[in-house]
């Protein structure tokens, strides 16, 4: 991933004839430096977050003595509060000349500030309030961060770019539980020590964002013109992306002298009038309703596999390792084939993981197999959904578009966490997971039917993107 200057050469490696005034052809880096900088910020921040996440379920259930319903409420806050502010974060980032870094920095800063308060939270109300602030920060930063990745990357490589970012993010998820495990083994008052170290790491992530992420990010030059503009005359296709109801000038790009106003909130909400974005949002929410949270899945694995309590913080490592290895290749695969189909296939993999948890096969090999499938699910859905969203949203609304889809998915997972925790309090975990798996199978089939008409051409720029 580097920037290189090269001149075209013939088959024998000699330099081809070039006109004297022809500038050298500059090869664009497949993954822009902005994506790598944001990946570094996410890596450091995820070390901090996953240190807390790795010990939180055991701390709440075993340390504070909360029931599964109480933990379900706490886990729901993690998703619900962040979802409620995600729309605001995306909209604020799109306004005022793309203030994506400012809004993202505010989100990272809020999360860092709440970490030192965790050692003081020994009751459910206080802990819920601290986590609400942490999730508010996450909700504010997610959409602007993904918008910056979309704007900095040519459309043809967005799947790969999001894969690289998610791989770096997952590296932090891999290191976080290891750090938590080491702190727990090395200290007497382990939980408070984990929370304190986590606060220091979070502050480092904010510093990297301030120093290395550019303030303004413009779309690549090849993403600002129609796709046919870069093709030789004999390869130009008819403008089949123009709807019959559109006037002839529907694909006219915005001229440099034309003013552009800041997107209004009604413009952001009006994005749902776009059929492709509306389908993506509905299907992401539908599938989120049957996606069990990581914490509940790990609790089930620990109980079904009879794992010792001190090994519980290591369970996320299997998910993170699988995610890390597969995020980039699956992102590139989605660019070449279909982001929509890979997103649906990822939920099929998750369904297979649920089946293994419910199967008679127990022990460490079964636990490892479930964790590998769990990581594969994230590699096939997380960054892929963001890349699919970016392809159907104009550049000036990237923050709001990412927020709409992410909010729908996060709110659905919030409902799932509450429902799963409440059902677990009434029945056993295996029964609840069986019902959830059946719902996931139905939801995946429905989503496949709804998304069958989504216009998806990897690597091209849509008409709306040109006009934006």
């Amino acid at each position: 991933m580097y920037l290189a200057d090269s001149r075209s050469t013939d088959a024998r490696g000699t330099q081809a004839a070039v006109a004297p005034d022809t500038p050298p052809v500059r090869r664009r880096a497949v993954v822009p430096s902005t994506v790598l900088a944001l990946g570094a910020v996410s890596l450091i921040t995820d070390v901090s977050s996953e240190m807390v996440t790795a010990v939180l379920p055991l701390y709440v259930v075993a340390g504070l003595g909360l029931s599964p319903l109480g933990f379900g409420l706490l886990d729901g806050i993690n998703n619900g509060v962040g979802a409620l502010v995600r729309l605001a974060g995306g909209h604020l980032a799109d306004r005022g000349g793309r203030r994506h870094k400012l809004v993202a920095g505010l989100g990272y800063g809020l999360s860092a500030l709440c970490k030192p308060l965790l050692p003081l939270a020994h009751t459910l109300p206080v802990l819920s309030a601290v986590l609400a602030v942490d999730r508010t920060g996450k909700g504010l930063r997610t959409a602007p961060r993904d918008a910056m990745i979309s704007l900095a990357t040519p459309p043809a490589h967005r799947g790969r770019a999001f894969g690289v970012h998610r791989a770096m993010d997952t590296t932090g998820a891999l290191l976080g539980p290891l750090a938590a495990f080491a702190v727990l083994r090395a200290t007497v008052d382990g939980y408070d020590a984990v929370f304190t170290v986590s606060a220091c790491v979070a502050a480092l992530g904010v510093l990297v964002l301030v120093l290395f992420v550019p303030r303004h990010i413009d779309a690549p030059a090849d993403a600002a013109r129609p796709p046919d503009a870069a093709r030789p005359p004999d390869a130009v296709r008819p403008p089949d992306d123009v709807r019959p109801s559109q006037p002839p000038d529907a694909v006219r790009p915005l001229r440099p002298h034309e003013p552009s106003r800041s997107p209004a909130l009604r413009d952001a909400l009006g994005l749902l009038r776009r059929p492709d974005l509306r389908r993506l949002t509905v299907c992401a929410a539908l599938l989120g309703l049957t996606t069990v949270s990581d914490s509940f899945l790990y609790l089930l694995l620990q109980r079904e596999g009879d794992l010792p309590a001190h090994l519980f913080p290591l369970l996320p490592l299997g998910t993170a390792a699988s995610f890390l290895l597969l995020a980039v290749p699956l992102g590139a695969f989605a660019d070449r084939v279909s982001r929509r189909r890979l997103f649906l296939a990822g939920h099929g993999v998750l369904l297979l993981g649920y089946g293994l948890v419910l199967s008679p096969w127990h022990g460490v090999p079964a636990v490892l197999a479930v964790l590998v499938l769990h990581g594969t699910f994230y590699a096939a859905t997380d960054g892929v959904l963001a890349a699919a969203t970016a392809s159907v949203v104009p550049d000036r609304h990237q923050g709001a578009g990412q927020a709409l889809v992410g909010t729908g998915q996060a709110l659905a997972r919030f409902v799932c966490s509450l429902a799963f925790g409440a059902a677990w309090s009434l029945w056993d975990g295996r029964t609840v997971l069986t019902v959830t798996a059946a719902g996931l199978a139905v939801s995946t089939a429905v989503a496949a039917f709804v998304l069958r008409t989504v216009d998806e051409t990897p690597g091209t720029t849509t008409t709306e993107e040109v006009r934006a």
Side-chain angles (χ1 to χ4, degrees):
M1 286 174 266
Y2 54 89
L3 197 65
D5 290 333
S6 63
R7 296 179 184 272
S8 58
T9 56
D10 58 19
R12 297 178 182 176
T14 59
Q15 184 172 336
V18 182
D21 297 332
T22 301
V25 178
R26 184 175 295 273
R27 297 171 57 190
R28 184 185 303 278
V30 174
V31 180
S33 59
T34 299
V35 177
L36 298 179
L38 287 169
V41 174
S42 294
L43 187 155
I44 297 170
T45 303
D46 227 39
V47 171
S48 170
S49 299
E50 292 302 320
M51 287 182 68
V52 176
T53 302
V55 301
L56 190 62
L58 208 59
Y59 174 69
V60 170
V61 175
L64 300 183
L66 294 180
S67 65
L69 176 59
F71 178 73
L73 176 63
L74 200 63
D75 191 63
I77 289 175
N78 282 352
N79 292 309
V81 174
L84 292 176
V85 299
R86 191 172 297 189
L87 278 175
H91 172 64
L92 290 174
D94 287 338
R95 289 184 61 83
R98 295 177 179 171
R99 295 179 293 187
H100 299 101
K101 180 180 178 179
L102 177 62
V103 178
L106 178 61
Y108 282 108
L110 277 177
S111 295
L113 287 175
C114 79
K115 293 295 194 303
L117 302 178
L118 286 172
L120 307 177
H122 298 294
T123 62
L124 180 60
V126 177
L127 187 60
S128 299
V130 174
L131 290 178
V133 176
D134 178 64
R135 294 300 96 178
T136 297
K138 181 175 177 60
L140 283 176
R141 70 181 184 248
T142 300
R145 180 203 65 201
D146 287 349
M148 285 190 282
I149 295 173
S150 299
L151 292 171
T153 309
H157 301 299
R158 279 173 177 164
R160 183 189 297 272
F162 276 104
V164 169
H165 174 268
R166 295 319 195 248
M168 297 180 71
D169 181 88
T170 306
T171 302
L174 193 65
L175 297 175
L178 286 175
F181 178 75
V183 172
L184 283 176
R185 293 296 298 269
T187 59
V188 177
D189 195 8
Y191 291 119
D192 287 349
V194 169
F195 298 151
T196 302
V197 174
S198 171
C200 298
V201 177
L204 177 61
V206 176
L207 182 63
V208 172
L209 174 74
V210 172
L211 295 178
F212 296 103
V213 176
R215 183 175 180 182
H216 295 289
I217 300 175
D218 296 321
D222 56 350
R225 62 176 181 265
D228 293 334
R231 299 174 184 162
D234 57 348
V236 175
R237 299 180 305 174
D240 53 359
D241 57 342
V242 179
R243 303 294 187 267
S245 60
Q246 291 177 319
D249 63 344
V251 296
R252 180 183 62 82
L254 189 67
R255 296 189 178 93
H257 66 274
E258 292 180 343
S260 59
R261 62 181 180 87
S262 297
L265 182 59
R266 63 177 179 273
D267 297 331
L269 297 176
L271 290 173
L272 288 176
R273 290 195 296 267
R274 297 171 176 269
D276 288 349
L277 181 63
R278 185 169 62 248
R279 294 188 187 101
L280 278 176
T281 304
V282 170
C283 290
L286 179 64
L287 292 167
L289 286 172
T290 52
T291 302
V292 178
S293 73
D294 296 355
S295 299
F296 275 127
L297 184 62
Y298 297 149
L299 283 173
L300 280 169
L301 280 176
Q302 192 262 339
R303 295 189 179 187
E304 293 294 328
D306 295 326
L307 295 178
H310 70 276
L311 294 180
F312 184 86
L314 299 180
L315 288 179
L317 296 182
T319 297
S322 179
F323 191 177
L324 176 63
L325 292 175
L326 296 175
V328 176
L330 286 182
F333 180 75
D335 286 336
R336 294 193 303 268
V337 183
S338 172
R339 296 160 185 164
R340 165 180 52 87
R341 292 174 183 171
L342 186 60
F343 176 70
L344 293 172
H347 286 85
V349 171
L350 180 63
L351 182 61
L352 181 58
Y354 290 171
L356 282 181
V357 175
L358 297 171
S359 70
W361 187 28
H362 298 296
V364 175
V367 171
L368 292 177
V370 172
L371 294 177
V372 169
L373 292 173
H374 197 220
T376 304
F377 156 70
Y378 278 119
T381 57
D382 191 6
V384 172
L385 178 61
T389 302
S391 67
V392 296
V393 177
D395 284 345
R396 67 194 298 263
H397 289 300
Q398 279 294 326
Q402 296 288 348
L404 282 171
V405 177
T407 297
Q409 185 182 61
L411 285 176
R413 290 181 176 180
F414 166 71
V415 173
C416 181
S417 291
L418 291 180
F420 198 93
W424 196 347
S425 298
L426 298 175
W427 304 291
D428 64 285
R430 288 180 60 86
T431 301
V432 182
L433 185 61
T434 301
V435 175
T436 305
L440 178 59
V442 174
S443 299
T444 303
V446 172
F449 177 79
V450 173
L451 294 178
R452 76 192 190 284
T453 58
V454 171
D455 184 14
E456 183 182 48
T457 308
T460 62
T461 304
T462 63
T463 301
E464 290 82 358
E465 285 177 297
V466 173
R467 295 185 66 190

